[in-house]
Amino acid sequence: MPAPALAQPPAAVRAPIPVRVVVVTTFELGADTGDLPGEFQNWVERFPLSQKIPAPATYHEVLRYNPELHVLGMVSGEGPTRMAAAMTSLILDPRFDLSHAYFILAGIAGIDPHAGTVGSAAWARYVVNGGAAHFIDPRQVPADWPDGFTPVQGDRPYQQPRPPVHSIAADMAYALRPSLVQWAYRLTRNTPLPDSPALKKQRQRYVGFPRAQEQPEVMLGDTISGETFWVGSLMNGWAERWVAYWTGGAARMVTTAEEDIALCQVLHQQGDLQAGGHVDPKRLLILRTASNFDMPPQGVSAASMLAEESHEEGMSGLKASTTAAYEVASPVVRELATHWAHYEKTVP
């Protein structure tokens, strides 16, 4: 009889790549290096994120990694759908250990001229879902309604008692860990931000908006997140009311963007112990830097403003905001990654 075949030793199991911080960006205008920077290029070139890791199932198809500091960078693609897909793919990727990782979204946004100016950077305390609602065209709303938006589980604007923030209908708001947000703000509040004659000229147009006429600054400011790029004073008024409504008056709308609500949803779902506890949703920071105002100055129509800034390249503060996103968020990333012996176990 032939001798029995010898059992083959099991293939070596490669240890997951350790990740201390995940830098989340939403778009890049061209290549990752060497051209007009979007949100990602400054991280790749300046942090740097030198190592490429293939991610063929994702929008950007590649991740970037700093093996000395164990910092991973990604481009989710614009919009909540792409963010949800990219984050789910990353969290479930067995190549990475994200169990103690911090997630920092550093991206551009529109800004409310009642609250700040173009080029400013705002650390969010709250994220409010601006995309889940019933909506009636303003030409058909009752005369006593302030706008045509009602909760999905409601039939009139801002009804009380307020429907559940988390329900079968939607997840309407998330509060980020207050101590972590305050820590990041204290660490970066004196960061010099880019300014220019063009930005100064832009903010001078906003007569009657004192906050819009100030120089760019690092601030605390909450964000509304939805897939529709709205513009104009009436929509801005709705957003201010909507954010206050869903947070019981605790939040103030400062920036408007797309992807934040999806990021929060995925982290909380994948952080659930029943889902495997792959991540810690308390280790999330969101920084939004203002590339443009969300409403025009007096005497300019919303349609005219939309025509001026309908593409990223036409936004008045694009370069300043992408630079500010890196300048403000990178010290936080570096602090967490450099002093990992402390921050791995202790969330600020």
Side-chain angles (χ1 to χ4, degrees):
M1 296 179 61
L6 296 176
Q8 296 296 315
V13 177
R14 182 176 295 179
I17 298 170
V19 179
R20 298 173 181 175
V21 184
V22 178
V23 175
V24 183
T25 66
T26 69
F27 75 93
E28 186 51 55
L29 293 174
D32 287 351
T33 60
D35 56 8
L36 178 65
E39 292 177 352
F40 195 44
Q41 185 168 309
N42 285 321
W43 293 95
V44 175
E45 294 181 337
R46 298 173 59 188
F47 191 76
L49 301 174
S50 57
Q51 182 178 330
K52 287 185 178 182
I53 300 176
T58 66
Y59 170 80
H60 196 60
E61 298 186 335
V62 67
L63 303 168
R64 295 274 190 160
Y65 186 62
N66 180 305
E68 289 77 31
L69 292 177
H70 305 303
V71 172
L72 185 69
M74 65 178 293
V75 179
S76 67
E78 293 188 66
T81 303
R82 284 175 172 164
M83 174 62 77
M87 288 305 305
T88 301
S89 176
L90 173 64
I91 292 170
L92 297 181
D93 192 326
R95 293 178 296 175
F96 304 106
D97 178 4
L98 303 173
S99 56
H100 293 91
Y102 291 82
F103 292 80
I104 299 182
L105 170 58
I108 68 173
I111 193 165
D112 182 348
H114 293 118
T117 196
V118 171
S120 290
W123 292 106
R125 303 168 305 158
Y126 291 87
V127 174
V128 173
N129 190 340
H134 286 306
F135 177 67
I136 299 176
D137 188 294
R139 292 167 293 187
Q140 296 179 314
V141 300
D144 59 344
W145 284 20
D147 54 63
F149 291 87
T150 78
V152 174
Q153 292 183 312
D155 57 13
R156 61 192 183 281
Y158 316 108
Q159 68 184 59
Q160 297 292 341
R162 188 186 64 204
V165 173
H166 301 285
S167 70
I168 191 173
D171 297 305
M172 294 306 304
Y174 289 93
L176 279 64
R177 183 183 177 97
S179 62
L180 181 60
V181 177
Q182 290 288 342
W183 171 81
Y185 169 67
R186 289 195 301 269
L187 186 66
T188 60
R189 61 186 173 186
N190 295 321
T191 303
L193 298 181
D195 200 2
S196 67
L199 285 184
K200 183 176 181 180
K201 182 179 180 180
Q202 174 73 345
R203 60 182 181 256
Q204 285 178 338
R205 301 168 66 197
Y206 282 78
V207 177
F209 296 88
R211 294 286 289 152
Q213 294 188 315
E214 295 176 358
Q215 290 183 308
E217 63 174 337
V218 180
M219 60 198 299
L220 293 168
D222 306 310
T223 189
I224 186 168
S225 175
E227 199 160 15
T228 298
F229 280 83
W230 51 264
V231 65
S233 59
L234 295 180
M235 290 300 298
N236 183 78
W238 159 76
E240 291 176 343
R241 294 188 295 271
W242 194 252
V243 167
Y245 174 70
W246 284 108
T247 62
R252 181 189 182 193
M253 196 277 280
V254 172
T255 61
T256 171
E258 291 187 274
E259 301 83 9
D260 311 45
I261 193 69
L263 174 60
C264 291
Q265 287 171 324
V266 171
L267 289 182
H268 279 77
Q269 289 166 357
Q270 296 299 328
D272 190 310
L273 292 178
Q274 293 182 348
H278 300 288
V279 293
D280 181 354
K282 296 189 298 295
R283 297 180 177 222
L284 170 64
L285 287 165
I286 292 177
L287 179 75
R288 285 293 183 175
T289 56
S291 60
N292 59 294
F293 290 108
D294 67 9
M295 58 175 280
Q298 294 181 5
V300 177
S301 71
S304 296
M305 182 181 182
L306 180 63
E308 290 176 5
E309 300 190 336
S310 57
H311 304 285
E312 279 95 350
E313 294 87 341
M315 291 179 180
S316 54
L318 176 63
K319 183 176 180 180
S321 61
T322 55
T323 300
Y326 177 78
E327 295 289 349
V328 178
S330 60
V332 175
V333 174
R334 202 172 293 278
E335 170 68 17
L336 291 169
T338 303
H339 300 99
W340 189 242
H342 174 70
Y343 295 117
E344 179 182 12
K345 301 296 183 182
T346 305
V347 180

